[in-house]
Amino acid sequence: QKTKNKLKNPFLKVEDRRRRYRPFYLQLSSFPVVNYSNPKPYSPFETERKNIIAHKQIENKQRNPANNDKGKGPVQLPAKHKKRKGYCECCLKKYDDLQIHVESEQHQNFAQSSHYQVVDDIISKFSCNFVELSTPKIKRRKCSV
Amino acid sequence: MKYDHSKKLSGASTDIEQLYQAVPQLANVFRIKGKIGEGTFSSVYLAIAQLRGGHEEKVALKHLIPTSHPVRIAAELQCLIIAGGQDNVMGVRYCFRKNDHVVIVMPYLEHESFLDILNSLSFEEVRDYMFNLLKALKRIHYFGIVHRDVKPSNFLYNRQMKRYALVDFGLAQGTPDTKIELLKVIQSEAQQESCAWNKPQITLGSQVSVTARAPRQLVRQPAARTANKRPCSLSQTQIKQGQKRKEGPESLHVQRSVFGERNFNVRSSASQDNSTVKLIKQPRVTDIAARKILAKKKTTSAVTNGLVKKAASSYPTNVTCDCYAKDRVCSVCLSRRQQVAPRAGTPGFRAPEVLTKFPNQTTAIDMWSAGIIFLSLLSGRYPFYKASDDLTALAQIMTIRGSRETIQAAKTFGKSILCSKDIPAQDLRMLCERLRGSKTSFDISTGDGQINLSQEPALQAEIFNISDPALQTSKKHLQYQKPSCHERDGLVIRTSEKPADLGWDKVPDEAYDLLDKLLDLNPATRITAKDALLHPFFKNIKQ
């Protein structure tokens, strides 16, 4: 029982010429066009005006970040702890929240294992000509926890 | 829960404190000033260190995401050590580690925001920029490094000092003959597969049991929609070897047939159209995984293993249907396993062979990306391509380079592309000049020129549809930018320079010829970095 399916225009279909793999395709509502009337420097493929306006606002904000040279850093992002999804190459595992995964027992076991020898081998070859700072360390410690 | 407190805090200062906590040694050496970059796999901070000689030095601290595999981390360091430090390739000063937290210390190069300066660069500056980018690419390609993420934010540019640095080897892969030993370990599954295809390796036996566990690892879809995806992941086998590391470093890259590959293709962009997706029964992920592994076994089955053979034959992976090169799909072709090919990088910078999942990708993919940067520089548009998925990106490429040309080139690397529309290739000079709005009587100060009206009378109606709100926006935007000047250490660079003053009124043909060769749709004939540096476009460049 074959289910056939005709692709609707406009579409793009890509397949392996040896036909060993699943084809992949895209059906668009309209094929992209170069839009010369988008203002510089926006992409000629930018379609949403909203984006152009939104970008502009972001840009304006970024143009006058008070100063990077204050310990504060450029922009104070609200609600920092966004759940970061991803994949852990150490545990070979998908995670929904980076923070929680990194604190998990499995990951902590890996983190404290000898797997990092390959990194340490390289580190051991570096020579360091940075000078140890004398005191600010303690200060830092205090305000951090 | 000691983290509860810090979670409530916000902003970069919290990040800095967390970094000090994660790697306490940093506090002994650096005063961290602020976060200057954040990507999927790392955050970068600006810090000040005291040198033995007495003076201070600004450094960039790159804090890698703690889920990075140690071998990948080591490979990134190796790239920086071996290839870096000259020819505009970033070098490395030192590295700190505590447990899974690794911080790479690099010289700090103050740099421009590409978007900010794009439309104030002179043509000569663009030529220098490209020359220096190609110099960096020549260097890394010599060492067999495929960067995979060449884009302006990874090519630092200090306009005043005319200094440049290619950064971030976090997605790098090795060519088959790479000189970076650890990159050999980080080959993608696709590469291994094709490798095994060419010369079957005796790797079965003990590996079969490892493979059997792989489906579990494969149960995942692209998690967050992020710009960058790691090209591959590291094998469980190899991790096991890591545990019994006595075997020595060679063992790390002797066996590499079984990987917990992160299959980004499990849900392809095809799944975007809902109407059809319903008909395409999404096979259970484990099925895909199983199929995938079996098929892989097939490729290595020159070494016959009864068990594997039996398993493989029970799955018909090669059934044909008559949908090939036609405007349809059916349950037969859709039930085949998906091809796995590296696609790490940033959407708008991916070469056609990456977008179409060609497994044997080479350093040519970086040259394509360099071409996209050049296209931005010549057209004044950044990002040039704006696509959220690979096939949309491919469609946009076809709009510039032509559908027939794209289809023709794809054939050479084993891909059939079917496109419902025939789109002619654009003349690169005309495209860029129209987009840049240069070579004209065009004057920004009048506030109404995106294009040269005298040159393109036919377009007036199309573009200057006066009631078009987009145009109003564009006018306002120009007016907003008009009076702005960039003040950099007393040097004022006007952004409203006339094209003639910046050399944009006489862009030589060589520029577009080089662009054409960088944006060669066929990776086999695409110009190399070495050859590009010898291109007439760079004649008489001061080095």
Side-chain angles (χ1 to χ4, degrees), chain B residues 57-129:
Chain B
E57 187 191 0
K58 281 184 184 171
V59 293
L61 303 181
K62 180 175 179 177
H63 179 209
L64 305 178
I65 190 169
T67 54
S68 303
H69 195 278
V71 175
R72 181 187 299 285
I73 299 167
E76 181 170 357
L77 282 167
Q78 227 170 38
C79 287
L80 291 164
I81 292 167
I82 297 172
Q86 58 176 294
D87 290 347
N88 305 324
V89 181
M90 180 55 79
V92 55
R93 298 288 317 273
Y94 201 68
C95 182
F96 291 90
R97 174 176 91 83
K98 191 195 171 197
N99 297 339
D100 51 346
H101 289 277
V102 173
V103 172
I104 301 175
V105 185
M106 292 170 284
Y108 175 69
L109 176 60
E110 192 175 345
H111 52 275
E112 322 287 339
S113 142
F114 189 78
L115 194 59
D116 280 355
I117 58 161
L118 176 59
N119 278 293
S120 70
L121 291 171
S122 70
F123 177 70
E124 200 51 37
E125 285 174 307
V126 164
R127 204 165 76 115
D128 286 342
Y129 183 104

Side-chain angles (χ1 to χ4, degrees), chain B residues 95-307:
Chain B
C95 182
F96 291 90
R97 174 176 91 83
K98 191 195 171 197
N99 297 339
D100 51 346
H101 289 277
V102 173
V103 172
I104 301 175
V105 185
M106 292 170 284
Y108 175 69
L109 176 60
E110 192 175 345
H111 52 275
E112 322 287 339
S113 142
F114 189 78
L115 194 59
D116 280 355
I117 58 161
L118 176 59
N119 278 293
S120 70
L121 291 171
S122 70
F123 177 70
E124 200 51 37
E125 285 174 307
V126 164
R127 204 165 76 115
D128 286 342
Y129 183 104
M130 286 307 296
F131 186 82
N132 283 286
L133 171 61
L134 293 165
K135 209 159 130 181
L137 292 177
K138 180 187 169 190
R139 170 98 185 154
I140 65 162
H141 292 169
Y142 169 80
F143 288 98
I145 301 169
V146 184
H147 185 285
R148 294 207 71 90
D149 202 17
V150 173
K151 57 178 176 180
S153 52
N154 282 334
F155 187 59
L156 310 184
Y157 172 41
N158 185 312
R159 187 177 187 177
Q160 229 195 345
M161 295 160 71
K162 290 195 184 299
R163 286 184 58 203
Y164 308 83
L166 180 67
V167 300
D168 196 355
F169 294 95
L171 296 172
Q173 282 181 285
T175 59
D177 60 345
T178 183
K179 295 176 172 125
I180 312 295
E181 281 304 302
L182 286 164
L183 281 183
K184 292 182 180 169
V185 185
I186 314 188
Q187 281 197 352
S188 72
E189 179 173 23
Q191 274 176 304
Q192 289 141 23
E193 206 171 306
S194 56
C195 205
W197 182 254
N198 295 334
K199 39 168 189 175
Q201 291 172 310
I202 304 178
T203 49
L204 294 178
S206 69
Q207 306 246 332
V208 172
S209 63
V210 181
T211 316
R213 253 181 288 147
R216 191 171 41 81
Q217 301 148 21
L218 286 159
V219 181
R220 66 185 146 72
Q221 286 89 43
R225 265 209 97 94
T226 48
N228 290 321
K229 294 278 167 75
R230 288 264 160 110
C232 58
S233 63
L234 297 147
S235 83
Q236 214 172 38
T237 320
Q238 183 222 313
I239 286 154
K240 294 200 159 171
Q241 286 164 350
Q243 279 159 356
K244 31 178 178 168
R245 272 202 94 259
K246 308 252 157 70
E247 293 162 43
E250 280 82 4
S251 66
L252 280 174
H253 48 86
V254 172
Q255 299 179 313
R256 47 182 134 97
S257 67
V258 184
F259 277 62
E261 155 74 24
R262 306 193 300 159
N263 188 348
F264 301 121
N265 302 321
V266 168
R267 296 269 161 87
S268 73
S269 48
S271 339
Q272 290 196 337
D273 188 283
N274 298 324
S275 58
T276 41
V277 169
K278 280 172 200 149
L279 296 170
I280 306 163
K281 222 172 73 199
Q282 194 72 249
R284 275 182 300 136
V285 179
T286 43
D287 288 351
I288 292 173
R291 209 173 293 134
K292 179 175 158 182
I293 281 142
L294 288 166
K296 193 190 330 178
K297 284 302 158 201
K298 269 187 122 180
T299 66
T300 47
S301 66
V303 186
T304 21
N305 175 320
L307 186 103

Side-chain angles (χ1 to χ4, degrees), chain B residues 356-519:
Chain B
T356 55
K357 299 185 187 172
F358 173 56
N360 298 323
Q361 297 167 20
T362 66
T363 52
I365 68 168
D366 291 340
M367 300 311 294
W368 176 273
S369 305
I372 299 296
I373 298 180
F374 198 21
L375 183 58
S376 272
L377 291 165
L378 292 173
S379 67
R381 307 301 181 125
Y382 178 77
F384 190 90
Y385 289 118
K386 179 88 186 174
S388 52
D389 64 275
D390 282 350
L391 288 185
T392 302
L394 187 65
Q396 293 178 356
I397 288 172
M398 289 170 134
T399 334
I400 302 296
R401 303 297 278 154
S403 56
R404 280 183 209 180
E405 289 82 353
T406 308
I407 291 164
Q408 191 56 41
K411 272 188 194 164
T412 67
F413 52 87
K415 294 290 173 181
S416 152
I417 301 177
L418 193 62
C419 181
S420 58
K421 204 178 165 198
D422 187 34
I423 313 145
Q426 301 256 7
D427 176 88
L428 291 173
R429 176 187 283 274
M430 279 183 26
L431 173 82
C432 290
E433 286 181 352
R434 266 182 80 181
L435 286 169
R436 172 170 274 283
S438 59
K439 183 144 188 181
T440 64
S441 50
F442 159 91
D443 181 355
I444 286 173
S445 63
T446 65
D448 64 4
Q450 290 306 306
I451 58 155
N452 174 8
L453 292 177
S454 56
Q455 258 191 345
E456 314 258 11
L459 287 161
Q460 286 191 39
E462 179 200 323
I463 290 164
F464 281 81
N465 177 352
I466 301 306
S467 61
D468 184 353
L471 180 61
Q472 307 305 324
T473 314
S474 85
K475 279 188 182 177
K476 271 189 217 137
H477 182 69
L478 278 178
Q479 275 152 7
Y480 166 75
Q481 285 204 322
K482 207 188 341 168
S484 78
C485 291
H486 288 265
E487 197 157 349
R488 302 192 43 78
D489 304 319
L491 176 74
V492 177
I493 300 159
R494 286 158 168 272
T495 51
S496 58
E497 218 73 69
K498 288 181 188 170
D501 301 333
L502 297 171
W504 287 106
D505 56 330
K506 42 181 194 299
V507 176
D509 288 338
E510 285 80 11
Y512 297 105
D513 183 71
L514 176 61
L515 179 62
D516 181 59
K517 291 183 158 89
L518 290 166
L519 298 181

Side-chain angles (χ1 to χ4, degrees), chain B residues 17-76:
Chain B
E17 295 308 332
Q18 284 177 351
L19 179 57
Y20 277 125
Q21 276 171 42
V23 190
Q25 310 95 293
L26 295 176
N28 300 334
V29 186
F30 301 110
R31 298 199 309 278
I32 303 176
K33 293 303 207 178
K35 192 186 256 191
I36 52 173
E38 186 171 317
T40 314
F41 302 112
S42 65
S43 297
V44 182
Y45 299 82
L46 171 64
I48 307 226
Q50 196 83 41
L51 287 184
R52 287 244 166 83
H55 54 93
E56 289 189 331
E57 187 191 0
K58 281 184 184 171
V59 293
L61 303 181
K62 180 175 179 177
H63 179 209
L64 305 178
I65 190 169
T67 54
S68 303
H69 195 278
V71 175
R72 181 187 299 285
I73 299 167
E76 181 170 357

